């Protein structure tokens, strides 16, 4: 994703054409990243497959809203992410998986506080860059969570 950001912002000739593709892939990565990990955590701890796959099923709501260009897709995405975060928090706490708690905190700060539009914390640092750096911490903790 970081290389895509360099291509979009660093290339004035083709940057505007790549911005749409980059925006769609960023949205899809937000839709599928955490729900896939939450589903795998549920499966690792012995939850029924049908219940675990509901994490992935609910991602269809913001994707459908995105396809119809509905303005409520941000609220739907936030709701899906929040429900997945609650599930990850519960299973990580019950099973004493502290990497899961760290993953929860890093994704919460990354998605709800930093975001991907504008600048973060009234600084000159683009929030998309901070989002990508925070995503690397999330990925590290996600790998440790799933391997624990």
């Amino acid at each position: 994703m970081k290389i895509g950001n360099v291509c979009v912002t660093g290339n004035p000739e083709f940057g505007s054409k790549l911005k749409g593709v980059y925006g769609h892939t960023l949205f899809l990565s937000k839709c599928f990243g955490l729900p896939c990990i939450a589903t795998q955590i549920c499966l690792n701890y012995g939850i029924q497959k049908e219940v675990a796959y509901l994490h992935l099923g609910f991602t269809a709501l913001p994707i459908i809203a995105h396809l119809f260009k509905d303005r409520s897709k941000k609220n739907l995405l936030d709701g899906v992410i929040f429900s997945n975060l609650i599930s990850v928090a519960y299973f990580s706490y019950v099973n004493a998986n502290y990497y899961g708690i760290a993953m929860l905190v890093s994704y919460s700060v990354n998605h709800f506080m930093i975001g991907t539009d504008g600048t973060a914390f009234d600084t000159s640092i683009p929030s998309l860059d901070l989002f990508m750096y925070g995503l690397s911490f999330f990925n590290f903790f996600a790998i440790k969570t799933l391997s624990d």
Side-chain angles (χ1 to χ4, degrees), residues 5 14 37 39-41 48-49 68-69 76-77 83 85-86 101 106 114 122 128-129 142 144:
N5 187 27
F14 299 110
I37 292 170
T39 301
Q40 189 60 46
I41 288 172
Q48 290 179 340
K49 288 183 181 180
F68 290 116
K69 302 196 184 320
L76 287 172
L77 181 61
S83 64
L85 287 173
I86 298 261
I101 305 280
S106 98
I114 295 174
D122 295 329
L128 190 57
D129 289 342
K144 296 298 265 184

Side-chain angles (χ1 to χ4, degrees), residues 87-106:
S87 179
V88 168
Y90 173 75
F91 289 113
S92 296
Y93 179 75
V94 167
N95 295 298
N97 188 342
Y98 299 112
Y99 287 115
I101 305 280
M103 181 187 74
L104 168 89
V105 169
S106 98

